[in-house]
Amino acid sequence: LYSTHEVGGAGLIYWHPKGALVREIIENFWREEHRKRGYDIVYSPHIGKADLWQISGHLDFYRESMYSPMDVDGVDYLLKPMNCPFAILMYKTKTRSYRDLPLRWGELGTVYRYERSGVLHGLLRVRGFTQDDAHIFCRSDQLQDEIIGVIELSQHMLGSFGFEDYLIELSVRDPAHKDKYIGEDSRWEPAEGALEQALKTMGLEYKIMPGEAKFYGPAIDIKMRDALGRGWQGPTIQVDFNFPERFDMTFVGEDSKEHRPVMVHRTVLGSMERFVGGLIEHYAGAFPVWLSPIQVVIIPI
């Protein structure tokens, strides 16, 4: 299905024809399900100027997971560890109205994060991977419906691949170490409250995980269990009031005044690499027929 090569660089995946076919089937299904739910597909570059990562806060709060800068005509560029700043730049290319929202933009975006060589592990812990990412820009009054919609899509996607058992965690700030996060309490508290309210509205059991929030916002993290009961990080749903502030994002409201949108970052599978790794473990390599690269073998006798 795949291989890794030390001469090509540790933690980088080479998809062979059969593995690439499995991935293609998953990605096509992913696109189809997203378009049914009002998502548009976007693409973004693999590198960005250091200035961009400074505005987002990555250079201050995520630097140890990013690769060293490359000099391009005397300007520092870095490989992207996340897709979100690029979606924000696309949002800002025109004036947005309250009537335009929500915008749901999906992206199978390849990102690069530095992982220590000792923790690299097959498809499950890598340095380059493709997230089944999406960014939703919405009004505050739309936020609950958008979160619930993402949870329902996550449940549908996991169920379609045979993952019926999963653990839900609400990842929030560590109150004793607020210096690890950007933004004020006034932005964090409504974000954490919105995620928790959505879980309660849906009647889902969850565990609160202090200190597990992303540096820019809290998250619902869904850990899927395979056939042997092992947990795998899958969908994540993050509510972010901070990036819209840092990037000065606005939309024109019904009152003709400028307002800040809310940003929802989310994946419903996680990454192609880790998800396929989880599928291999879950099915012990014997994929369902619709996913199998070899569906039928004829043996002449």
Side-chain angles (χ1 to χ4, degrees):
L1 298 174
Y2 74 97
S3 63
T4 58
H5 303 274
E6 193 63 35
V7 69
L12 303 174
I13 303 301
Y14 292 72
W15 294 85
H16 293 220
K18 291 177 184 176
L21 180 56
V22 173
R23 174 169 165 170
E24 181 183 0
I25 292 167
I26 295 170
E27 290 182 351
N28 288 342
F29 176 68
W30 181 92
R31 289 188 184 93
E32 180 182 336
E33 292 300 311
H34 279 70
R35 289 199 168 102
K36 286 179 185 176
R37 292 165 174 81
Y39 283 80
D40 293 307
I41 306 301
V42 299
Y43 295 91
S44 63
H46 288 235
I47 62 174
K49 287 173 62 176
D51 295 356
L52 180 67
W53 307 110
Q54 189 67 58
I55 296 170
S56 68
H58 283 83
L59 291 186
D60 293 326
F61 293 88
Y62 203 74
R63 186 68 186 87
E64 63 184 21
S65 295
M66 298 175 70
Y67 282 97
S68 301
M70 62 188 85
D71 184 300
V72 181
D73 298 330
V75 178
D76 281 348
Y77 282 74
L78 292 97
L79 285 166
K80 65 176 179 179
M82 299 180 189
N83 300 301
C84 27
F86 299 94
I88 292 171
L89 294 183
M90 286 189 274
Y91 177 95
K92 286 172 62 71
T93 55
K94 59 186 289 187
T95 300
R96 306 289 177 177
S97 163
Y98 71 96
R99 294 188 183 91
D100 299 329
L101 305 182
L103 292 173
R104 305 184 187 105
W105 289 349
E107 178 178 11
L108 289 163
T110 302
V111 299
Y112 304 88
R113 299 178 187 175
Y114 171 66
E115 297 278 6
R116 298 185 186 282
S117 57
V119 303
L120 297 175
H121 182 61
L123 286 171
L124 306 175
R125 199 71 180 265
V126 295
R127 288 176 171 165
F129 56 93
T130 300
Q131 288 184 309
D132 72 306
D133 214 350
H135 297 93
I136 299 170
F137 305 101
C138 65
R139 307 188 308 262
S140 296
D141 62 293
Q142 298 170 322
L143 182 56
Q144 274 296 296
D145 288 342
E146 292 304 315
I147 296 171
I148 290 172
V150 174
I151 295 173
E152 290 174 344
L153 175 56
S154 299
Q155 292 174 321
H156 172 70
M157 294 295 285
L158 294 182
S160 297
F161 290 97
F163 292 103
E164 302 290 350
D165 183 19
Y166 39 81
L167 173 69
I168 300 175
E169 297 177 347
L170 178 59
S171 299
V172 298
R173 286 183 304 175
D174 180 351
H177 295 93
K178 291 185 179 180
D179 57 318
K180 294 182 178 179
Y181 312 93
I182 61 173
E184 307 299 325
D185 291 349
S186 60
R187 297 191 201 120
W188 278 83
E189 289 167 1
E192 292 173 347
L195 289 170
E196 188 163 22
Q197 183 58 49
L199 291 170
K200 289 179 177 178
T201 298
M202 297 185 71
L204 298 172
E205 294 184 6
Y206 60 94
K207 182 179 180 181
I208 296 178
M209 302 293 288
E212 294 300 314
K214 310 331 180 215
F215 75 86
Y216 49 82
I220 293 171
D221 291 315
I222 300 177
K223 309 282 179 69
M224 48 195 182
R225 292 192 181 96
D226 66 17
L228 297 179
R230 293 169 298 189
W232 307 92
Q233 173 65 54
T236 183
I237 307 157
Q238 306 154 13
V239 173
D240 179 9
F241 285 84
N242 287 304
F243 278 4
E245 186 74 28
R246 293 176 76 94
F247 282 92
D248 192 26
M249 299 173 66
T250 61
F251 68 89
V252 178
E254 198 168 3
D255 57 3
S256 298
K257 296 180 180 179
E258 290 191 338
H259 300 268
R260 293 267 185 250
V262 184
M263 188 172 182
V264 178
H265 313 242
R266 45 110 293 190
T267 66
V268 292
L269 297 178
S271 76
M272 290 298 107
E273 286 72 13
R274 181 173 290 177
F275 187 73
V276 172
L279 281 175
I280 293 170
E281 297 290 335
H282 186 56
Y283 290 109
F287 295 127
V289 173
W290 73 285
L291 274 175
S292 178
I294 298 179
Q295 296 178 324
V296 177
V297 174
I298 299 175
I299 304 176
I301 298 175

